[in-house]
Amino acid sequence: MPGMKKWQHNLVRNSMDKYRQALENYYIKDKQLVEVGGGYKAFSLLSPPIGSPAAKRRIRFIIKNISDKNTVVEGEGIVSPGKRTPHFITIAVTYDCQCDCSHCSAHSYKEKVGQDNDQLTIPELKGVVNQAIDIGSTCVIFTGGEPLLVDGIFDLIRSVDKRKAVCTIFTNGEFLDKKTVAKLKKAKLFGIFVSLDFADADKHDANRQRDGLFKKAVAGINLCRENGILTGISTFATKEKIVSGQLDDIMELGKKLNVLEVFIFDVIATGKLNSEQACMLDEEDVGAIKKFRQKYNSRPDYPRIIHQTMFTSIAYPCVSEGCPAGVAQMHVRGNGNVCPCDFTPLSFGNVRQKKLSDIWKAITEDELYSKASKVCRLSDKDFLRRISPQV
């Protein structure tokens, strides 16, 4: 790029080398690739296909961030980009849901938005999508509640400019019948994560208080895969699931269903678990998760694993793994409040009053998020004491 100093050129070159190496080692090497439109190959539900216009766009934003004059190289060669891009934006398109999960993180927001009756409309959600893409988002993720309960969800998926970003949704899978999957395919949905808490049907249904849900979710995964929609399993890690082998059971199920990816969230003390700080994973648990990932990511016959802390390293391998909130991700709640991530009860503004770009700037410049964190901030008791819970 013209005008850059020699050290900036070297930094960009080294960062791009690390970026390519990370993609190869973590996401591409010896694992399944899926042919998608345009002759491109996909390796993740959260990253644009290799060589696609959206993938090239992401790289341009990464280079722009790293080459910024305010970029700092910290200890051990870790880079703090002078500017940041919300490569991943998650949007709660509704809090309506037919399930009642024991670990639901959206529980309090569902009650508040329901009482106030201020859920964003489809036109407003489209406006959020357009603003997000304008500031560099290359992965638009619709969450809930249950997104497939939303009238207009297919139109909303269509509104994502597929030349600039991929669109993925998280669902509990109950409504993935032939008619719905066909509509998702027509709307050009890129990927779909179906939540499976346990590989055992009875345990899964009991945790979500929804009889027969596991069977419908599995059938929905098969239908999506058969119709050319990238499929993945979304699950969560607890201390018990790590030591009991239940996460291994999920990987066996993922292999059986031939999903491309398994997304693992750490259990978070929010929503229904708001007062259960003891549930949070400690340093030893995080180490166990990393070993678990390494074990299965080295085996080509199993799906890839993506962990919530890997969001950052997908976008900025030079930054290293860590908390993605405010670094590579932001979240828009159902009422328009914008937070650093889905789980953080701290709003920096509402899209009904402020531009999304201004809110993102406020997040990245706030002292709580101005520096990257190697661990989930919500696992830090000092951080929790400093934030004031709000919807």
Side-chain angles (χ1 to χ4, degrees):
M1 295 178 66
M4 285 199 303
K5 296 180 180 179
K6 184 177 180 180
W7 71 268
Q8 290 175 307
H9 279 288
N10 291 337
L11 182 59
V12 168
R13 184 176 63 251
N14 292 338
S15 297
M16 285 298 98
D17 287 343
K18 289 182 178 180
Y19 181 77
R20 285 187 288 269
Q21 184 179 357
L23 292 182
E24 175 64 26
N25 291 342
Y26 300 150
Y27 312 115
I28 300 175
K29 187 178 180 180
D30 299 328
K31 292 286 188 178
Q32 182 183 180
L33 296 174
V34 177
E35 292 279 355
V36 293
Y40 303 114
K41 293 182 178 180
F43 60 93
S44 169
L45 282 67
L46 300 169
S47 290
I50 302 167
S52 67
K56 293 177 180 178
R57 186 170 182 264
R58 177 177 289 186
I59 291 173
R60 286 197 297 272
F61 273 98
I62 293 172
I63 292 175
K64 182 178 180 181
N65 296 159
I66 295 171
S67 60
D68 184 81
K69 64 180 180 180
N70 294 316
T71 292
V72 176
V73 181
E74 300 175 351
E76 301 178 359
I78 294 176
V79 178
S80 273
K83 289 186 178 179
R84 302 176 194 165
T85 297
H87 297 282
F88 312 91
I89 182 166
T90 54
I91 305 172
V93 295
T94 183
Y95 289 123
D96 291 341
C97 188
Q98 77 280 25
C99 299
D100 190 13
C101 305
S102 64
H103 62 289
C104 179
S105 63
H107 180 70
S108 57
Y109 306 119
K110 177 180 180 180
E111 291 184 343
K112 184 69 165 60
V113 173
Q115 290 171 0
D116 296 343
N117 192 31
D118 60 354
Q119 172 70 46
L120 294 173
T121 64
I122 291 296
E124 287 176 322
L125 288 167
K126 287 182 179 180
V128 170
V129 168
N130 290 336
Q131 287 187 63
I133 291 177
D134 283 346
I135 59 177
S137 296
T138 46
C139 183
V140 176
I141 305 165
F142 296 137
T143 67
E146 172 48 54
L148 293 180
L149 285 173
V150 177
D151 289 334
I153 186 63
F154 307 109
D155 191 30
L156 188 58
I157 293 169
R158 278 192 292 272
S159 75
V160 178
D161 188 338
K162 309 304 190 301
R163 298 165 300 178
K164 297 180 178 179
V166 297
C167 180
T168 292
I169 68 171
F170 281 79
T171 174
N172 59 48
E174 179 167 1
F175 305 117
L176 292 175
D177 54 25
K178 290 183 179 180
K179 184 177 180 180
T180 299
V181 171
K183 288 183 178 180
L184 292 172
K185 176 67 175 179
K186 187 175 181 180
K188 297 185 178 180
L189 180 69
F190 182 69
I192 187 164
F193 280 108
V194 178
S195 297
L196 292 173
D197 306 330
F198 300 93
D200 179 273
D202 291 339
K203 287 183 179 180
H204 175 76
D205 292 354
N207 188 62
R208 296 198 165 234
Q209 298 188 42
R210 192 72 174 174
D211 291 342
L213 180 60
F214 181 91
K215 183 178 180 179
K216 291 178 180 178
V218 167
I221 288 174
N222 287 326
L223 276 173
C224 287
R225 193 189 66 251
E226 291 165 4
N227 281 269
I229 299 173
L230 301 183
T231 58
I233 290 174
S234 169
T235 195
F236 66 97
T238 64
K239 295 174 182 289
E240 179 186 359
K241 290 173 78 172
I242 291 171
V243 300
S244 67
Q246 291 173 341
L247 288 180
D248 295 274
D249 294 339
I250 287 289
M251 293 305 299
E252 293 295 338
L253 179 61
K255 177 183 177 182
K256 179 180 178 181
L257 295 174
N258 194 29
V259 300
L260 185 63
E261 203 162 33
V262 172
F263 198 129
I264 300 177
F265 290 94
D266 295 348
V267 65
I268 301 292
T270 189
K272 282 193 175 182
L273 299 175
N274 189 49
S275 60
E276 305 292 332
Q277 190 63 27
C279 76
M280 297 288 290
L281 303 188
D282 57 28
E283 188 174 346
E284 182 179 349
D285 300 323
V286 172
I289 289 288
K290 287 185 178 180
K291 289 181 180 178
F292 177 85
R293 284 167 22 197
Q294 291 167 357
K295 171 185 173 183
Y296 284 102
N297 279 340
S298 66
R299 300 181 62 174
D301 52 335
Y302 284 87
R304 287 179 186 80
I305 293 177
I306 183 164
H307 184 234
Q308 64 186 50
T309 61
M310 295 168 70
F311 264 35
T312 309
S313 59
I314 291 175
Y316 303 109
C318 50
V319 176
S320 82
E321 186 174 326
C323 180
V327 178
Q329 179 199 5
M330 69 174 158
H331 176 68
V332 180
R333 300 216 181 280
N335 62 0
N337 282 350
V338 182
C339 307
C341 79
D342 309 45
F343 306 110
T344 304
L346 183 64
S347 172
F348 282 81
N350 191 290
V351 293
R352 286 180 168 131
Q353 284 87 43
K354 297 181 180 180
K355 292 181 179 179
L356 196 60
S357 58
D358 292 338
I359 301 175
W360 174 248
K361 186 173 184 289
I363 294 174
T364 61
E365 293 180 351
D366 189 272
E367 62 174 345
L368 292 170
Y369 294 92
S370 59
K371 292 186 177 181
S373 172
K374 289 186 177 181
V375 297
C376 172
R377 288 175 173 82
L378 297 177
S379 67
D380 183 344
K381 292 182 179 179
D382 180 61
F383 177 85
L384 292 175
R385 283 192 291 267
R386 295 175 67 189
I387 67 174
S388 177
Q390 53 185 289
V391 177

